[in-house]
C-alpha cells in the first residue's frame, strides 16, 4: 500500500500545473489598502467632551472636514458623573456653538446636560466616532496618520491635516499607592448611593467630589467615614455643601478624620494613620475621590513637551498650537496638573482660538 501511494504521488507531481498562471505565491506582498474617503479629514479632534465638540463646531464653520474620535461615548466624562448630579454653574456657561441651553432650574442636571450636547451634535451634524481609542499619532503638519482601535480591538486608520487633542482628565484617577487599592470594593468614581445602603463606606478626599458623595451616601442609609490628609475641608468646596457636611460631622452623623491618611485596605477593614496613631476601621467599600489627571504619556507619545513642574503642554497661548506643528491642545489638559483652572465654562472658548489659527493656515486668503 505505501508503494502505491508513492506511485500516485509521483504521477501527480509529474503532471503539468494547469492552474499555474492563476496561482499567487504566498510570499507575494499584499497590496496596501488606501485610506477611504470617510477616514480622511482636514481636522481630527481626539475627545468628544464639551470642549472637543466646541472645537469641531468652530472648525466645521470654516468649511473644513472634521472627524471627532472618542474612546467612550459622547461627553463620556459627563456620562460618568453621579446620577442626578446638579452642575455648580448656570446653563448659559455650558453652551457651545451658540445653541441656547434651556432648563427649568437655576442649575442644570447631568441628564439635561447629556441631552443638550446630544442635540448640539445633531444640529451641527458632527461626525462622531464613539468607542474608538486613539493609540498612535504619527506624521507631520499637513499629513498625520492616526490609528485607533474599537471595542473589538479592530484598527481604524485615519489621515488628517491637523489634530486637536481634547482628551480631558476624568479617565485617569490619582492613585493612593497603598496595599489593597486594587480590591474590587475600592473605586475612584462615585455613581449613586443605592449599592452602598446599610454598609460601612470610607470616603477619601476633601474636595467637592468627596463632600458630595459623603452627604449623598449618608442621606441614603450608608454609614460614612471621611478621611482627608488636610486639617479641614478644601476651600474650593461649594459654599452650600461645606456647612452641610461640617454640621453632619459635628453631629456625629458622619465620622471624619482630618490630617489623616489611609495606610492599608483589607477585605473587611481599612487602616488609617491619624494624628493619634493608626486605627483599624470596619469597612465594606472605599471611595478614593482624590482627583484625576490628564494622560501625560499619550501627550508625550506625540512629541508634545510638558513643563517640569505642572506638566503643562508647551503651546502658543493664543492659538493653542503645541510645540509639534499641526497639533493643538484644548480644554483642561492645557492646565496640566492644575485641573481646577479650566472647566467647561472657559475651555469651551478654546475652539474659537484654534479656529482662528486654522482659518489662516488651512484657508489662506487669496
Amino acid at each position: 500500500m505505501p508503494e502505491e501511494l508513492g506511485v500516485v504521488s509521483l504521477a501527480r507531481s509529474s503532471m503539468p500545473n494547469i492552474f499555474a498562471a492563476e496561482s499567487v505565491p504566498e510570499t507575494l506582498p499584499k497590496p496596501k489598502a488606501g485610506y477611504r474617503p470617510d477616514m480622511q479629514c482636514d481636522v481630527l479632534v481626539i475627545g468628544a467632551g464639551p470642549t472637543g465638540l466646541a472645537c469641531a463646531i468652530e472648525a466645521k464653520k470654516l468649511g473644513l472636514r472634521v472627524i471627532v474620535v472618542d474612546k467612550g461615548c459622547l461627553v463620556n466624562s459627563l456620562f460618568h458623573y453621579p446620577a442626578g448630579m446638579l452642575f455648580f454653574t448656570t446653563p448659559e456657561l455650558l453652551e457651545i456653538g451658540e445653541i441656547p441651553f434651556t432648563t427649568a432650574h437655576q442649575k442644570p442636571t447631568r441628564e439635561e446636560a447629556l441631552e443638550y450636547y446630544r442635540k448640539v451634535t445633531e444640529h451641527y451634524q458632527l461626525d462622531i466616532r464613539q468607542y474608538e481609542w486613539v493609540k498612535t499619532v504619527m506624521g507631520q503638519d499637513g499629513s498625520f496618520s492616526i490609528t485607533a482601535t474599537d471595542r473589538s480591538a479592530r484598527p481604524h486608520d485615519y489621515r488628517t491635516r491637523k489634530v486637536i487633542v481634547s482628551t480631558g482628565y476624568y479617565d485617569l484617577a490619582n492613585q493612593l499607592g497603598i496595599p489593597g487599592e486594587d480590591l474590587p470594593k475600592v473605586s475612584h468614581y462615585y455613581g449613586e448611593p443605592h449599592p452602598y445602603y446599610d454598609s460601612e463606606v470610607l470616603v477619601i478626599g476633601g474636595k467637592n467630589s468627596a463632600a458630595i458623595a459623603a452627604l449623598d451616601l449618608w442621606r441614603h442609609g450608608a454609614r460614612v467615614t471621611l478621611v482627608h490628609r488636610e486639617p479641614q475641608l478644601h476651600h474650593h468646596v461649594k459654599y452650600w455643601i461645606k456647612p452641610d457636611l461640617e454640621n453632619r460631622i459635628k453631629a456625629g452623623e458622619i465620622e471624619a478624620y482630618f490630617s489623616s491618611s489611609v495606610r492599608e485596605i483589607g477585605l473587611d477593614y481599612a487602616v488609617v494613620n491619624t494624628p493619634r496613631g493608626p486605627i483599624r476601621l470596619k469597612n465594606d467599600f472605599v471611595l478614593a475621590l482624590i482627583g484625576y489627571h490628564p494622560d501625560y504619556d499619550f501627550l508625550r507619545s506625540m512629541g508634545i513637551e510638558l513643563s517640569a513642574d505642572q506638566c503643562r503642554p508647551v503651546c502658543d497661548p493664543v492659538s493653542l498650537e503645541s510645540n509639534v506643528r499641526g497639533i493643538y491642545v484644548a480644554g483642561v489638559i492645557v492646565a496640566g496638573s492644575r485641573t481646577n483652572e479650566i472647566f467647561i465654562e472657559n475651555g469651551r472658548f478654546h475652539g474659537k482660538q484654534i479656529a482662528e489659527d486654522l482659518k489662516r493656515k488651512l484657508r489662506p486668503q487669496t
Side-chain angles (χ1 to χ4, degrees):
M1 190 71 175
E3 292 180 356
E4 293 177 357
L5 287 173
V7 172
V8 172
S9 177
L10 180 61
R12 286 179 177 170
S13 65
S14 62
M15 293 175 63
N17 186 355
I18 61 175
F19 303 105
E22 298 180 14
S23 62
V24 179
E26 293 184 359
T27 56
L28 189 66
K30 296 180 180 179
K32 292 187 68 175
Y35 287 90
R36 304 196 315 263
D38 63 330
M39 305 297 280
Q40 302 182 58
C41 58
D42 297 309
V43 179
L44 189 141
V45 181
I46 306 175
T51 298
L53 297 179
C55 291
I57 290 168
E58 297 304 324
K60 190 170 183 179
K61 286 180 179 179
L62 299 177
L64 301 175
R65 167 86 169 110
V66 184
I67 295 175
V68 184
V69 180
D70 197 293
K71 68 178 180 180
C73 62
L74 184 74
V75 290
N76 191 64
S77 294
L78 300 192
F79 171 71
H80 286 95
Y81 282 2
M85 188 203 78
L86 282 174
F87 279 84
F88 297 143
T89 190
T90 51
E92 68 272 10
L93 297 180
L94 302 178
E95 294 174 354
I96 59 174
E98 287 77 45
I99 302 295
F101 187 164
T102 58
T103 173
H105 310 92
Q106 183 179 5
K107 294 181 173 62
T109 66
R110 163 189 172 272
E111 288 71 23
E112 288 175 324
L114 293 177
E115 181 179 12
Y116 170 76
Y117 291 115
R118 288 196 303 268
K119 295 299 184 183
V120 171
T121 299
E122 293 172 0
H123 176 82
Y124 282 101
Q125 298 181 325
L126 299 180
D127 186 350
I128 311 292
R129 311 292 174 92
Q130 299 180 96
Y131 307 108
E132 292 188 15
W133 191 343
V134 173
K135 298 295 186 178
T136 60
V137 177
M138 308 291 289
Q140 59 187 358
D141 188 15
S143 180
F144 290 102
S145 299
I146 295 177
T147 298
T149 57
D150 61 23
R151 289 178 292 180
S152 300
R154 294 173 299 189
H156 299 266
D157 296 320
Y158 296 92
R159 288 292 297 273
T160 184
R161 298 165 67 190
K162 302 287 185 181
V163 179
I164 300 175
V165 184
S166 181
T167 48
Y169 71 107
Y170 197 60
D171 290 334
L172 292 176
N174 296 334
Q175 300 294 301
L176 295 166
I178 61 173
E181 188 172 11
D182 57 347
L183 289 173
K185 72 173 189 175
V186 180
S187 176
H188 293 83
Y189 300 88
Y190 175 64
E192 57 180 312
H194 179 75
Y196 305 101
Y197 168 73
D198 196 29
S199 299
E200 302 286 345
V201 184
L202 177 62
V203 178
I204 305 173
K207 294 185 179 180
N208 283 298
S209 295
I212 292 171
L215 286 169
D216 198 32
L217 288 163
W218 171 75
R219 289 196 168 94
H220 289 85
R223 294 179 291 278
V224 182
T225 300
L226 180 72
V227 173
H228 185 39
R229 63 184 180 181
E230 302 296 335
Q232 59 187 3
L233 294 172
H234 198 278
H235 65 275
H236 283 160
V237 176
K238 299 303 179 181
Y239 67 88
W240 66 90
I241 296 173
K242 187 176 180 181
D244 189 2
L245 179 55
E246 289 174 337
N247 288 335
R248 302 288 77 74
I249 294 172
K250 290 178 182 178
E253 296 164 324
I254 293 178
E255 192 172 12
Y257 295 92
F258 292 100
S259 301
S260 303
S261 60
V262 179
R263 186 176 76 185
E264 177 189 351
I265 301 171
L267 292 176
D268 58 359
Y269 70 90
V271 177
V272 179
N273 286 334
T274 74
R276 296 184 178 182
I279 59 172
R280 182 184 174 109
L281 301 175
K282 182 181 177 182
N283 175 257
D284 298 310
F285 296 99
V286 175
L287 294 173
L289 307 179
I290 56 174
Y292 310 90
H293 63 272
D295 191 343
Y296 303 127
D297 290 338
F298 178 62
L299 297 175
R300 292 190 182 101
S301 74
M302 292 180 282
I304 297 177
E305 298 176 5
L306 306 179
S307 66
D309 52 346
Q310 297 175 351
C311 291
R312 294 176 185 264
V314 175
C315 66
D316 185 286
V318 177
S319 70
L320 298 178
E321 185 175 27
S322 73
N323 62 284
V324 181
R325 290 185 59 188
I327 298 182
Y328 299 81
V329 290
V332 69
I333 64 172
V334 174
S337 62
R338 304 283 293 181
T339 54
N340 62 340
E341 291 184 3
I342 298 179
F343 305 93
I344 300 174
E345 295 93 315
N346 50 3
R348 63 194 176 123
F349 297 117
H350 288 174
K352 292 183 181 295
Q353 292 178 239
I354 295 172
E356 283 298 317
D357 200 55
L358 294 176
K359 185 176 182 180
R360 289 192 295 269
K361 295 177 179 178
L362 290 185
R363 291 172 60 95
Q365 295 181 354
T366 56

